[in-house]
Coordinates of all heavy atoms in Angstrom, one line a residue:
T309 N -47.8 37.8 68.1 CA -47.6 38.9 67.3 C -47.8 40.2 68.1 O -48.4 40.2 69.2 CB -48.6 38.9 66.1 OG1 -48.2 39.9 65.1 CG2 -50.0 39.1 66.5
I355 N -45.9 34.4 60.3 CA -47.0 33.7 59.8 C -46.8 33.3 58.3 O -47.2 32.3 57.9 CB -48.3 34.6 59.9 CG1 -49.6 33.8 59.6 CG2 -48.3 35.9 59.1 CD1 -49.9 32.7 60.5
T356 N -46.1 34.1 57.6 CA -45.8 33.8 56.2 C -45.1 32.5 56.0 O -45.5 31.7 55.2 CB -45.0 34.9 55.5 OG1 -45.8 36.2 55.7 CG2 -45.0 34.7 53.9
S430 N -45.5 39.3 46.7 CA -45.0 40.4 47.6 C -45.9 40.3 48.8 O -47.1 40.1 48.8 CB -45.1 41.7 47.0 OG -44.9 42.7 47.9
V431 N -45.3 40.5 50.0 CA -46.1 40.4 51.3 C -45.4 41.2 52.4 O -44.2 41.3 52.3 CB -46.3 39.0 51.8 CG1 -45.0 38.3 52.1 CG2 -47.2 38.9 53.0
G432 N -46.2 41.7 53.4 CA -45.6 42.2 54.6 C -45.9 43.7 54.7 O -46.0 44.2 55.9
E433 N -46.0 44.4 53.7 CA -46.3 45.9 53.7 C -46.7 46.3 52.4 O -46.5 45.6 51.4 CB -45.0 46.6 54.2 CG -43.8 46.2 53.3 CD -42.6 47.1 53.5 OE1 -42.8 48.4 53.7 OE2 -41.5 46.6 53.5
P434 N -47.2 47.5 52.3 CA -47.6 47.9 50.9 C -46.3 48.0 50.0 O -45.3 48.4 50.5 CB -48.1 49.4 51.1 CG -48.5 49.4 52.6 CD -47.6 48.5 53.3
I435 N -46.4 47.6 48.8 CA -45.3 47.7 47.9 C -45.4 49.0 47.1 O -46.4 49.2 46.4 CB -45.1 46.5 47.0 CG1 -43.8 46.7 46.1 CG2 -46.3 46.1 46.2 CD1 -43.3 45.4 45.5
D456 N -49.5 40.6 44.9 CA -49.3 41.4 46.1 C -50.4 41.0 47.1 O -51.5 41.4 47.0 CB -49.4 42.9 45.7 CG -49.3 43.8 46.9 OD1 -49.1 43.4 48.0 OD2 -49.6 45.0 46.8
T457 N -50.0 40.2 48.1 CA -51.0 39.5 48.9 C -51.1 40.3 50.2 O -50.2 40.3 51.0 CB -50.5 38.1 49.2 OG1 -49.2 38.1 49.9 CG2 -50.3 37.3 47.9
W458 N -52.3 40.8 50.4 CA -52.6 41.4 51.7 C -53.2 40.5 52.6 O -54.3 39.9 52.4 CB -53.5 42.6 51.6 CG -53.8 43.2 53.0 CD1 -52.9 44.0 53.7 CD2 -55.0 43.0 53.7 NE1 -53.6 44.3 55.0 CE2 -54.7 43.6 55.0 CE3 -56.1 42.2 53.6 CZ2 -55.7 43.6 56.1 CZ3 -57.0 42.2 54.7 CH2 -56.8 42.8 55.9
W459 N -52.6 40.3 53.8 CA -53.2 39.5 54.9 C -52.4 39.7 56.2 O -51.6 40.5 56.2 CB -53.1 38.0 54.4 CG -51.7 37.4 54.1 CD1 -50.9 37.8 53.2 CD2 -51.1 36.4 54.9 NE1 -49.7 37.0 53.2 CE2 -49.8 36.1 54.3 CE3 -51.5 35.5 56.0 CZ2 -49.0 35.1 54.7 CZ3 -50.6 34.6 56.4 CH2 -49.3 34.4 55.8
Q460 N -52.7 38.9 57.2 CA -52.2 39.2 58.5 C -52.0 37.8 59.3 O -52.6 36.8 59.0 CB -53.1 40.0 59.4 CG -53.6 41.2 58.6 CD -54.6 42.0 59.4 OE1 -55.7 41.6 59.6 NE2 -54.2 43.2 59.9
T461 N -51.3 37.9 60.3 CA -51.1 36.7 61.2 C -52.5 36.2 61.6 O -52.8 35.0 61.6 CB -50.4 37.1 62.5 OG1 -49.1 37.7 62.1 CG2 -50.1 35.9 63.4
E462 N -53.4 37.2 61.9 CA -54.7 36.8 62.3 C -55.6 36.2 61.3 O -56.5 35.4 61.5 CB -55.4 38.2 62.8 CG -54.8 38.8 64.0 CD -53.7 39.8 63.8 OE1 -53.1 39.7 62.6 OE2 -53.4 40.6 64.6
A482 N -53.3 45.7 46.0 CA -53.5 44.3 46.2 C -54.7 43.8 45.5 O -55.0 42.6 45.6 CB -53.5 44.0 47.7
S543 N -59.1 45.2 60.9 CA -57.8 44.7 60.6 C -56.6 45.6 61.2 O -55.5 45.1 61.3 CB -57.6 44.7 59.1 OG -57.6 46.1 58.6
D545 N -55.6 48.2 59.6 CA -55.1 48.9 58.4 C -56.0 49.9 57.8 O -57.3 49.7 57.9 CB -54.8 47.8 57.4 CG -53.5 47.1 57.6 OD1 -52.8 47.4 58.6 OD2 -53.1 46.1 56.8
L557 N -53.8 49.3 50.1 CA -53.6 49.3 51.5 C -52.7 50.5 51.8 O -51.7 50.7 51.1 CB -52.9 48.1 51.9 CG -53.8 46.9 52.1 CD1 -54.8 47.2 53.3 CD2 -54.5 46.4 50.9
G559 N -51.4 51.1 55.1 CA -50.5 50.9 56.3 C -51.4 50.9 57.6 O -52.6 51.1 57.5
R560 N -50.7 50.7 58.7 CA -51.4 50.5 60.0 C -52.0 51.9 60.4 O -51.4 52.9 60.2 CB -50.4 50.1 61.1 CG -49.8 48.8 60.8 CD -50.6 47.5 60.8 NE -51.3 47.4 62.1 CZ -52.0 46.3 62.4 NH1 -52.0 45.2 61.6 NH2 -52.6 46.2 63.6
N566 N -44.4 48.9 61.0 CA -44.1 47.9 60.1 C -42.7 48.1 59.6 O -42.5 48.8 58.7 CB -45.1 47.7 59.0 CG -45.0 46.5 58.2 OD1 -43.9 46.0 58.1 ND2 -46.1 45.9 57.7
G569 N -41.4 44.7 57.1 CA -42.4 43.7 57.1 C -42.6 43.0 58.4 O -43.4 42.1 58.6
R571 N -43.9 43.2 62.3 CA -44.8 44.0 63.0 C -44.2 44.4 64.4 O -43.9 43.5 65.1 CB -46.1 43.3 63.2 CG -47.1 43.7 62.3 CD -48.2 42.7 62.3 NE -49.1 42.9 63.5 CZ -50.3 42.2 63.6 NH1 -50.6 41.3 62.6 NH2 -51.0 42.4 64.5
Ligands
6R9_1 C1 -48.7 38.4 56.4 C2 -48.1 39.4 57.3 C3 -49.7 42.1 59.0 C4 -49.7 43.6 58.6 C5 -51.0 44.1 57.9 C6 -50.5 45.2 57.0 C7 -49.1 44.7 56.6 C8 -49.1 42.7 55.0 C9 -49.4 43.6 53.1 C10 -49.5 44.6 54.1 C11 -50.0 46.1 52.4 C12 -49.6 43.9 51.7 N1 -49.2 44.0 55.2 N2 -49.1 42.4 53.7 N3 -49.8 45.8 53.7 N4 -49.9 45.2 51.4 N5 -49.5 43.0 50.7 O1 -47.3 40.2 57.0 O2 -48.6 39.3 58.6 O3 -46.8 40.0 60.2 O4 -49.2 39.8 60.9 O5 -48.5 41.7 59.4 O6 -48.7 43.8 57.5 O7 -50.3 46.4 57.8 O8 -51.9 44.5 58.9 P1 -48.3 40.2 59.9

Side-chain angles (χ1 to χ4, degrees):
T309 188
I355 190 67
T356 306
S430 174
V431 61
E433 53 169 319
I435 179 162
D456 174 8
T457 59
W458 176 79
W459 61 296
Q460 309 176 292
T461 305
E462 292 87 341
S543 67
D545 279 359
L557 277 300
R560 302 291 304 193
N566 190 325
R571 262 165 81 169

